[in-house]
Amino acid sequence: MFEGHDPYLVALSVAIAILGGYTGFSLAARIRGTPGGSNRILLAGAAAFLAVGIWTMHFVGMLAAPLPPDTVYLVLPTIISFLICALVVGISLFFVSIGEPSLKRVVSSAVLLGAGIASMHYVGIHGLSGHFAIEHDDVFVLLSVIVAMVTAYGGLRAFLAQQEGFRLVVTSIIFGVAVSGMHYTAMAGMHFVPLAAGVHQHLGGGLAASQQILSIIVAVLCFVIAAGFLLSLVPDPRRQNLVPAMAGDLAPPADVLVPEPVAAVAAPRMSMAPLGGVGRPPRPAPAPRLPVEGADGTHFIDIADVRSVRADAHYTRVHDGTRERMCPWSISEAEAQLDPALFMRVHRSHIVAIPHVAFVRREGDGAIIELGGSSPHRVPVSRAKIAEVKARLGLSRRHA
């Protein structure tokens, strides 16, 4: 498969795919816990770095291949191959980021993305021009398409999982190796057939670029990916200062007096007030489910599955331990509908399910709560709510 290839460029192509995957997936991991507008920017950034990583890996692999010496690259097919890659990556990520990420939706997105990656490869291959024709083995074409679709499915699953840390590194390595495997599988089934004497391939008057020019373009894109990778390593300000601490670190500063919350048993009327509210009119019975919007209509999440509710303009985002989904309620309406025995408003923009709190830590003037689930996420706690959070979690010191 690698006969005649430059081993250094092969290694570089795999590294580029891994860095592109890491940058794209790390941006995806930062989508949770950000406002709606920032979500769209991060989604676009994730799609852009994944597309650039896949396309750049492809052409680094082409530079590593033993091509005929008179080979040039037709500009139009080369540009089209990049547009195909960017388009299918963006559509696929958008398709799985809205509504319910059902198996059918993810598989159909993977088929689209895999077919797009394969199309990008073969359009780029047929952008090669010279005194030769290109032939492909049908078996390798089919195998490369299958590898592309399997790779796409794994990449979309990683995108939905929004992994961080060591799992993100492992996922990126697997993604980069798989994308590279698709390219070199397709290259193993490609053959150059010399044209008969006196026969010249017609370039159609189109612009063509030499391998040297392509090398410059690819080098620039490699720097872009490397820069994005380095920027992705910069800690998110919301997650800074996350050093190990004991539960006692949640105590407010000595010079700040924060009143201890009144226990529910001492003031039973609080069970009839909105979350964190006192002295308000009696509220209706807590809602058993929360509505969330999907591409095919409105779904309902059982209260037991809700981890947190986050304000998003006039609506909210409900996290069920796997991902966020849009809820038509406002944060105030959600606060009024949820059972205060199970939920607490810990920030002006966040409500959390106390039974699902898996981790709490002081951060700056406030604190951070982590909610458990297959995709754990963190929620900020305002300074004024720290004492009440401690009481609800059983961390307050009780005196006789």
Side-chain angles (χ1 to χ4, degrees):
M1 181 180 295
F2 297 103
E3 183 179 359
H5 283 70
D6 186 324
Y8 296 104
L9 288 179
V10 170
L12 177 61
S13 68
V14 177
I16 287 298
I18 293 174
L19 293 182
Y22 183 93
T23 306
F25 294 144
S26 65
L27 289 175
R30 294 189 180 190
I31 287 178
R32 61 175 179 265
T34 58
S38 298
N39 280 349
R40 290 188 287 271
I41 295 175
L42 291 173
L43 177 63
F49 274 103
L50 286 173
V52 171
I54 294 171
W55 187 86
T56 305
M57 175 272 137
H58 167 79
F59 278 97
V60 172
M62 294 300 299
L63 293 174
L67 302 180
D70 59 344
T71 302
V72 295
Y73 294 83
L74 298 180
V75 173
L76 183 59
T78 301
I79 294 177
I80 291 177
S81 69
F82 175 75
L83 294 179
I84 291 174
C85 186
L87 186 64
V88 296
V89 170
I91 291 176
S92 298
L93 294 187
F94 176 76
F95 193 46
V96 297
S97 66
I98 60 172
E100 184 69 22
S102 62
L103 179 62
K104 181 179 179 181
R105 181 188 292 269
V106 177
V107 170
S108 58
S109 298
V111 170
L112 171 64
L113 180 55
I117 293 175
S119 300
M120 176 276 297
H121 174 87
Y122 287 106
V123 169
I125 287 294
H126 285 276
L128 299 177
S129 182
H131 299 293
F132 53 81
I134 299 176
E135 296 181 353
H136 300 278
D137 292 340
D138 294 339
V139 174
F140 281 94
V141 172
L142 178 61
L143 183 59
S144 66
V145 172
I146 293 175
V147 172
M149 290 182 179
V150 172
T151 301
Y153 181 81
L156 293 178
R157 279 299 179 192
F159 173 82
L160 290 174
Q162 297 180 332
Q163 298 172 346
E164 296 179 288
F166 180 74
R167 290 183 298 174
L168 176 59
V169 174
V170 173
T171 298
S172 303
I173 292 175
I174 295 174
F175 176 80
V177 172
V179 169
S180 304
M182 176 271 157
H183 171 83
Y184 290 109
T185 298
M187 293 294 290
M190 185 184 75
H191 307 285
F192 294 101
V193 180
L195 298 177
V199 179
H200 299 279
Q201 189 179 37
H202 182 57
L203 299 181
L207 294 175
S210 65
Q211 294 196 49
Q212 290 74 19
I213 294 177
L214 182 67
S215 300
I216 296 174
I217 296 174
V218 167
V220 171
L221 292 179
C222 288
F223 278 111
V224 170
I225 294 175
F229 169 72
L230 294 176
L231 288 176
S232 70
L233 298 179
V234 177
D236 191 331
R238 294 183 301 274
R239 298 189 176 105
Q240 289 180 350
N241 301 323
L242 294 180
V243 296
M246 299 180 63
D249 288 343
L250 281 172
D255 58 340
V256 178
L257 298 178
V258 180
E260 291 290 335
V262 181
V265 294
R269 69 177 182 275
M270 288 186 64
S271 62
M272 300 298 293
L275 304 179
V278 179
R280 297 185 183 180
R283 49 170 287 166
R289 299 184 298 173
L290 263 68
V292 292
E293 300 298 332
D296 53 349
T298 301
H299 301 261
F300 293 89
I301 303 179
D302 289 338
I303 289 299
D305 296 326
V306 175
R307 265 60 173 179
S308 68
V309 180
R310 175 175 64 86
D312 186 4
H314 298 294
Y315 305 98
T316 50
R317 297 276 179 174
V318 177
H319 204 298
D320 62 358
T322 302
R323 69 192 301 266
E324 281 189 328
R325 287 180 282 182
M326 192 190 80
C327 175
W329 293 352
S330 67
I331 190 70
S332 298
E333 186 176 1
E335 181 183 14
Q337 293 282 353
L338 293 173
D339 186 352
L342 301 176
F343 294 88
M344 176 182 173
R345 189 164 181 175
V346 297
H347 187 277
R348 63 188 178 91
S349 300
H350 295 275
I351 298 172
V352 301
I354 296 298
H356 290 291
V357 174
F359 170 89
V360 61
R361 176 175 293 164
R362 185 66 181 269
E363 181 180 281
D365 291 336
I368 285 292
I369 280 178
E370 181 174 286
L371 287 306
S374 57
S375 179
H377 65 290
R378 292 176 178 175
V379 171
V381 179
S382 65
R383 182 176 183 175
K385 291 290 184 178
I386 290 179
E388 188 174 352
V389 168
K390 288 176 58 182
R392 293 292 296 271
L393 295 176
L395 300 177
S396 296
R397 296 184 180 88
R398 300 187 180 276
H399 303 280

